[in-house]
Amino acid sequence: LDLTGRAILQFVMRPGQTVPVFHLNRESLQSENLQITLNGEPLDSDDPGDIQDLVIDGSSQPGLEIQRTLSANTIHTLEVDYTVYHWGEWGLPETSLSAFVNDIEGTGNESFFPTINCPSELAHHTITFVVHSETPYRCIGSGQVTSLPSENNSVWLLDTGREIASYTVFFMLMPQDTVQLETRVIDGVDVRVMSYNSGPSPYQAFDILETWLPELSAALGPFPMPHGLSIFLTGYGG
């Protein structure tokens, strides 16, 4: 199962910055399908005069440095068209779409969609997922997920509702007949819990969260995401 994507990233250079850096894992790409445009100018990802690989100290995220000096206080637009392959390399069903994310290490989603932020930089994410399949799917994620009308495909829009780090964006796309999805409001937070049909019950998570969410709010403050909490339960974490 391949993933084709088109990302449009709008950004402003921070003080002291001169050239933009974004994250996208080359090893996961079908490089012949990679097209990059900056402010309307096509760039050659294989030409070091346009883009160079960059190792960032303290980060496992692969960096791609664009060899263009950009002005400050101006909104710049980076467009990236790409194809990711090797789904199922983690033993997931070929019909599933997921990314492994580690919030502490700051790794995960740069393999699957381009990001232009590091842990100290935040971005408001709106991501449209299109599944080309006659099989009905379910979708949850970090934010408001809206199903969009489509004649032949399953389409959703994920809106994080606020600026967050890219590696904390969670999303899950699964065939509808393989998972169970339940919702509940806990301590004023909309909670969505999805799990495999053969896995733990969402109500087990609700039982824990009825106590845990109020405790976290009391200790840390209100739940920070405006559209609630999405959880996927698995046998090895969740």
Side-chain angles (χ1 to χ4, degrees), residues 71-225:
S71 58
N73 304 317
T74 300
I75 296 178
H76 302 283
T77 302
L78 177 69
E79 300 179 51
V80 184
D81 292 89
Y82 60 102
T83 300
V84 180
Y85 63 100
H86 287 330
W87 294 100
E89 63 183 302
W90 297 301
L92 293 168
E94 287 294 336
T95 52
S96 67
L97 167 57
S98 66
F100 284 162
V101 176
N102 187 311
D103 294 354
I104 297 175
E105 295 179 359
T107 61
N109 285 328
E110 71 279 357
S111 296
F112 303 100
F113 56 83
T115 66
I116 202 159
N117 58 303
C118 65
S120 62
E121 298 175 299
L122 308 179
H124 183 171
H125 296 74
T126 57
I127 305 171
T128 301
F129 297 104
V130 181
V131 178
H132 300 274
S133 173
E134 295 181 357
T135 302
Y137 271 67
R138 291 186 185 274
C139 179
I140 61 172
S142 299
Q144 184 177 39
V145 176
T146 304
S147 178
L148 303 179
S150 176
E151 291 185 2
N152 301 315
N153 306 309
S154 298
V155 183
W156 299 270
L157 174 66
L158 168 63
D159 187 340
T160 60
R162 55 161 291 183
E163 295 183 338
I164 60 176
S166 291
Y167 60 81
T168 68
V169 178
F170 159 78
F171 55 88
M172 199 72 187
L173 289 152
M174 293 294 295
Q176 181 174 297
D177 61 359
T178 66
V179 293
Q180 49 190 327
L181 174 64
E182 301 290 344
T183 63
R184 182 183 295 184
V185 177
I186 300 177
D187 197 36
V189 177
D190 291 324
V191 180
R192 301 165 291 274
V193 180
M194 180 189 288
S195 66
Y196 291 113
N197 289 333
S198 58
S201 166
Y203 293 101
Q204 293 177 262
F206 289 145
D207 290 343
I208 297 173
L209 290 170
E210 287 284 1
T211 300
W212 195 26
L213 268 182
E215 289 178 353
L216 290 173
S217 297
L220 304 175
F223 187 76
M225 297 297 287

